[in-house]
C-alpha cells in the first residue's frame, strides 16, 4: 500500500515538473474544448422495457392482470394473466428507420401520429394497434397491443400506446 501511494505521488510530481517546463517566450496554447453533442440512445438511456413499469403498461392499456413474459434490452412482452387474450409488446429497433417498418405492416395502412412532438406512425386493425416513433438518429421505438379471441370490454389501445411511447421518450431524455 505504501509503495502504491509513493508511486502515485512520484508520478504526480513528474507531471507537475513537466508541466512547468515551458518557455517564457512562447505563448501558452489556448485550451481546447469539445462538444459531446446529444447522447446516443443506449440501453442505459432508454432502460429495460422502454423504461416503463409493468403497472404503467396495465394502467395505460386498461388491460388488468398483465404480466411480463419476455424481457431483454431491446424488447419486452406482457400478456394478460387471466386469459392470455391480450399481448403488449415493446421493441427498440436499432439502425432501422421507421420507414422500413412502414413497409413491413401488411394488415393495415399506417396513419401519422404525433408523440412527444415527434412525427410517428400508427397502424390499427380489427384486433391490434401499433405505434412507432423515431428515437435517436436511425432508431425507432415501437409499442403494440394485440387482442386474442375475446373482444369483451376491449380497451382503446392506440391512445394508450401513444402514452407509453411518450413515457419512453421522456424517460430517455428524448421527449
Amino acid at each position: 500500500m505504501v509503495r502504491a501511494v509513493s508511486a502515485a505521488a512520484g508520478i504526480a510530481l513528474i507531471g507537475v515538473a513537466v508541466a512547468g517546463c515551458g518557455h517564457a517566450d512562447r505563448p501558452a496554447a489556448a485550451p481546447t474544448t469539445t462538444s459531446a453533442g446529444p447522447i446516443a440512445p443506449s440501453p442505459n438511456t432508454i432502460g429495460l422495457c422502454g423504461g416503463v413499469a409493468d403497472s404503467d403498461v396495465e394502467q395505460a392499456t386498461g388491460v388488468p392482470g398483465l404480466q411480463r413474459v419476455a424481457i431483454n434490452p431491446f424488447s419486452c412482452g406482457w400478456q394478460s394473466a387471466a386469459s392470455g387474450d391480450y399481448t403488449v409488446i415493446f421493441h427498440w429497433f436499432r439502425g432501422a428507420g421507421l420507414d422500413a417498418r412502414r413497409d413491413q405492416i401488411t394488415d393495415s395502412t399506417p396513419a401519422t401520429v404525433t408523440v412527444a412532438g415527434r412525427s410517428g406512425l400508427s397502424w390499427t386493425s380489427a384486433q391490434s394497434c401499433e405505434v412507432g416513433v423515431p428515437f435517436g438518429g436511425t432508431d425507432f421505438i415501437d409499442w403494440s397491443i394485440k387482442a386474442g379471441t375475446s373482444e369483451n370490454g376491449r380497451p382503446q389501445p392506440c391512445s394508450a400506446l401513444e402514452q407509453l411511447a411518450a413515457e419512453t421518450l421522456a424517460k430517455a431524455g428524448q421527449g
Side-chain angles (χ1 to χ4, degrees):
M1 176 76 174
V2 173
R3 281 178 129 170
V5 172
S6 296
I11 291 170
L13 287 175
I14 291 170
V16 170
V18 170
C21 290
H23 293 285
D25 57 342
R26 253 190 231 160
T32 59
T33 59
T34 59
S35 174
I39 297 173
S42 76
N44 295 330
T45 59
I46 198 168
L48 287 176
C49 300
V52 177
D54 296 349
S55 59
D56 294 335
V57 176
E58 186 174 317
Q59 182 180 4
T61 61
V63 177
L66 283 174
Q67 294 180 342
R68 192 178 319 169
V69 294
I71 182 171
N72 71 51
F74 306 104
S75 183
C76 286
W78 295 262
Q79 198 165 39
S80 57
S83 61
D85 286 340
Y86 289 94
T87 303
V88 178
I89 299 171
F90 166 78
H91 284 292
W92 174 17
F93 290 92
R94 303 224 36 209
L98 189 54
D99 284 336
R101 184 70 176 144
R102 176 193 304 260
D103 297 336
Q104 295 171 350
I105 304 296
T106 59
D107 62 349
S108 65
T109 303
T112 301
V113 295
T114 301
V115 177
R118 296 171 184 245
S119 181
L121 297 173
S122 175
W123 298 264
T124 304
S125 69
Q127 294 184 317
S128 67
C129 181
E130 183 173 347
V131 172
V133 184
F135 180 75
T138 60
D139 300 352
F140 71 94
I141 59 169
D142 186 273
W143 281 93
S144 63
I145 186 168
K146 293 178 179 31
T149 56
S150 174
E151 291 294 316
N152 297 337
R154 180 174 183 239
Q156 182 52 263
C158 288
S159 61
L161 298 179
E162 291 174 28
Q163 175 186 338
L164 291 168
E167 282 186 52
T168 297
L169 293 171
K171 288 183 180 178
Q174 302 279 320

